[in-house]
Structures are given as structure tokens and as C-alpha cells.
Amino acid sequence: ADGPCFEGPDLAPFEISIPPIRHVPKEDRESYLRLALIGGVGPRTLAALVQHFGSAQNVTTATLKELGQVHGVGPKLSTL
């Protein structure tokens, strides 16, 4: 994705690496789908969360402070 929404002087571009659901480990699929259905969590945010925490299940058990450390996750989104 290109354009002003995805680039800026203080935003480093990164690849979106969201695997198809069939490639998500079975034990992580429910958490992955729950995250994907949250309003405001698009492919970039989901990828950033899973990359930061290592799995979707780890994202669901993270504290508000930990969630806030992920690029693109602000106070409003971290409370959903």
C-alpha cells in the first residue's frame, strides 16, 4: 500500500504479513478471528499485534500498557 496514509517522516513502512486462516495454528484461530472482527483492527494493526506478541492468543491476554506499546494501537483501541 502506498500513499500519504501509509508513509510519513516518522512512520517506517512495513510489510503486511497476515497468513490465511488455514495457516494459523488451530489453537490460535479463535483468538485470531476475534481480533480480526474488532472494529478499528485492520490488516496492518492485526499484523503488528501478532508480530509484537508472537500469537493472537498472546494479544488477547496482554495488558493495556503492553497493547499501547504496539505501533498503531492507541488508548481507545486498546480498551476494545
Side-chain angles (χ1 to χ4, degrees), residues 22-78:
R22 68 181 178 273
H23 294 286
V24 174
K26 286 184 180 183
E27 64 275 4
D28 207 32
R29 287 182 184 170
E30 182 178 343
S31 297
Y32 182 89
L33 290 171
R34 286 177 183 261
L35 292 171
L37 293 172
I38 295 173
V41 176
R44 287 181 176 270
T45 305
L46 181 55
L49 287 165
V50 172
Q51 181 178 2
H52 183 86
F53 291 103
S55 74
Q57 186 155 2
N58 290 344
V59 176
T60 64
T61 60
T63 66
L64 294 177
K65 184 177 180 179
E66 292 169 332
L67 290 168
Q69 295 172 351
V70 179
H71 177 75
V73 177
K76 183 178 177 184
L77 186 57
S78 66

Side-chain angles (χ1 to χ4, degrees), residues 2-29:
D2 292 326
C5 294
F6 302 109
E7 297 177 287
D10 55 344
L11 296 177
F14 64 93
E15 291 289 318
I16 298 175
S17 180
I18 303 278
I21 191 69
R22 68 181 178 273
H23 294 286
V24 174
K26 286 184 180 183
E27 64 275 4
D28 207 32
R29 287 182 184 170

